[in-house]
Amino acid sequence: NMGKVIELQDLSGKKDKYFIGVDSKTNEIIPLKQKNINLSDKIKGVSLSDEQKQTLMNGGKVNLQGMTGKNDKKFSATLQVDPAGRTIAFSDFKQAKKQQVKEENTETVKKGKGIKVG
């Protein structure tokens, strides 16, 4: 993904804004018209703000926390429009429980208490 929306002109001279991506299987460049994207208000149980929607519509990435996966576990990830797959792509997955344990360990160290290992 380019990470932005670009303006392209067709043979008749009409200009439109497109997301550009590369198909991982065929290495083809895939254009997807921006106006054909319809973002949901919620993704994996988390509501998107207008600012987050606008960032996605402009080709940018959005970090979203507190999403619920298929196994009912909370996770966070970075989202971006994937023109080749015609979907929202997820990357940089982090499970909430692991992150919470890490934060608790950091708090313990800051308070001067030792962390038990093993």
Side-chain angles (χ1 to χ4, degrees):
N1 297 328
M2 287 183 60
K4 63 181 178 178
V5 175
I6 62 170
E7 189 173 82
L8 297 176
Q9 183 175 336
D10 65 14
L11 296 175
S12 67
K14 184 180 176 190
K15 294 181 180 181
D16 267 320
K17 292 185 178 186
Y18 288 85
F19 292 95
I20 302 294
V22 177
D23 186 312
S24 61
K25 294 177 184 173
T26 64
N27 285 333
E28 281 184 281
I29 295 174
I30 307 291
L32 176 62
K33 283 185 182 180
Q34 182 187 35
K35 67 182 180 182
N36 291 343
I37 298 293
N38 186 14
L39 290 175
S40 176
D41 290 336
K42 283 188 173 187
I43 295 180
K44 300 282 185 185
V46 177
S47 296
L48 292 173
S49 69
D50 290 337
E51 183 179 326
Q52 289 170 322
K53 283 183 178 181
Q54 191 62 41
T55 300
L56 287 171
M57 289 302 290
N58 289 330
K61 294 181 179 183
V62 171
N63 290 322
L64 207 55
Q65 297 179 358
M67 292 181 283
T68 305
K70 291 179 183 177
N71 54 5
D72 290 332
K73 289 187 179 180
K74 298 284 185 184
F75 71 98
S76 62
T78 301
L79 311 179
Q80 186 176 24
V81 173
D82 176 13
R86 300 196 178 320
T87 62
I88 299 291
F90 292 72
S91 61
D92 301 328
F93 288 96
K94 294 180 185 159
Q95 284 191 344
K97 194 171 192 177
K98 289 180 183 178
Q99 188 174 356
Q100 183 180 5
V101 169
K102 185 177 178 182
E103 289 172 3
E104 288 173 1
N105 288 342
T106 303
E107 285 293 319
T108 303
V109 170
K110 284 182 183 177
K111 292 179 180 177
K113 297 179 182 178
I115 300 174
K116 291 184 181 181
V117 180

